[in-house]
């Protein structure tokens, strides 16, 4: 893939307070700080990760997606100044529709950064990729994530079972949907 084409697909996104850029392999240590934290990842399906080494492997695989002609994952590192505070992700093959996801370091919760980052990713998905429908979900015990989805313009459409395979736990989840205005 040419550098020009990659740059077009992998832009740096900016919000009022944040900058988002494609996740890079060298970001793994910052990601490990919150990805291995059980409290930080209590309601995440694929987290917490069992070790910093597992985080490194995950970040390397995910960062490599940006090099593909058709990535199955678009993951952006979320920066507040010089601090990597989380990631926002668009999974292209996760469910019926492309799915939005996010995780922030808990030291930055409750300040609107999640919603701001999700809005930027939603804009990328619609503007750069031409997507017209997006999904997102959260554990029903995670009201903060539900608020992020609502503030980002997603609408509740379903409650269903959520399975945490790594900890042999079943819970309930809320699913939200966004449709482009012209769709």
């Amino acid at each position: 893939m040419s550098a020009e084409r990659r740059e077009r697909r992998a832009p740096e996104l900016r919000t009022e307070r944040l900058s988002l850029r494609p996740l890079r392999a060298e970001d793994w240590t910052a990601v490990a700080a919150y990805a291995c934290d059980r409290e930080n990842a209590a309601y995440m399906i694929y987290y917490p990760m069992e070790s910093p080494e597992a985080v490194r492997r995950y970040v390397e695989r995910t960062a490599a997606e940006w090099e593909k002609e058709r990535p199955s994952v678009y993951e952006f590192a979320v920066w507040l100044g010089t601090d990597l505070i989380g990631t926002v992700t668009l999974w292209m093959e996760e469910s019926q529709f492309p799915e939005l996801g996010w995780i922030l370091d808990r030291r930055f919760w409750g300040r609107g950064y999640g919603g701001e980052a999700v809005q930027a990713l939603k804009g990328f998905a619609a503007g750069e990729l031409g997507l017209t429908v997006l999904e997102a979900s959260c554990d029903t015990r995670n009201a903060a994530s539900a608020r992020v989805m609502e503030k980002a313009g997603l609408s509740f459409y379903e409650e269903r079972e959520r399975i945490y395979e790594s900890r042999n736990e079943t819970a309930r989840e809320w699913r939200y949907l966004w449709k482009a205005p012209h769709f």
Side-chain angles (χ1 to χ4, degrees):
M1 173 184 311
S2 73
E4 176 183 306
R5 186 168 182 176
R6 189 178 314 117
E7 183 62 29
R8 184 171 41 95
R9 187 168 65 215
E12 183 171 298
L13 309 177
R14 294 202 176 271
T15 70
E16 183 179 324
R17 301 176 293 172
L18 306 171
S19 63
L20 290 71
R21 62 139 171 86
L23 188 67
R24 297 178 186 152
E26 62 265 27
D27 295 332
W28 78 270
T29 54
V31 173
Y34 58 81
C36 295
D37 179 334
R38 290 201 181 289
E39 184 178 340
N40 200 99
Y43 301 120
M44 304 293 293
I45 289 179
Y46 302 113
Y47 293 89
M49 294 196 171
E50 67 272 7
S51 69
E53 181 60 26
V55 174
R56 184 187 61 75
R57 288 190 307 270
Y58 168 78
V59 170
E60 287 174 352
R61 279 193 317 273
T62 304
E65 285 290 317
W66 286 100
E67 301 298 322
K68 294 181 178 179
E69 184 68 29
R70 290 187 178 292
S72 60
V73 176
Y74 294 89
E75 188 152 1
F76 287 89
V78 178
W79 292 85
L80 176 64
T82 59
D83 294 320
L84 191 158
I85 66 168
T87 58
V88 290
T89 309
L90 179 63
W91 290 281
M92 300 301 288
E93 301 168 354
E94 195 68 16
S95 62
Q96 182 179 356
F97 301 108
E99 189 165 352
L100 299 167
W102 57 92
I103 183 169
L104 293 181
D105 184 317
R106 64 185 162 119
R107 295 175 299 158
F108 299 93
W109 289 356
R111 300 180 204 168
Y113 299 134
E116 205 170 308
V118 168
Q119 280 284 43
L121 181 60
K122 191 177 89 174
F124 170 79
E128 294 294 317
L129 302 178
L131 299 177
T132 57
V133 181
L134 299 170
E135 279 187 310
S137 65
C138 71
D139 189 301
T140 59
R141 298 169 290 183
N142 191 351
S145 278
R147 283 191 302 277
V148 166
M149 291 183 276
E150 290 164 0
K151 287 180 179 180
L154 284 82
S155 299
F156 174 83
Y157 78 93
E158 157 180 72
E159 183 175 320
R160 69 180 191 185
E161 185 175 77
R162 181 181 190 110
I163 299 170
Y164 295 98
E165 290 179 15
S166 66
R167 31 183 199 219
N168 196 28
E169 178 186 353
T170 302
R172 301 297 296 166
E173 80 175 3
W174 291 321
R175 302 216 33 95
Y176 283 71
L177 197 64
W178 172 82
K179 293 182 181 180
H182 64 281
F183 187 69

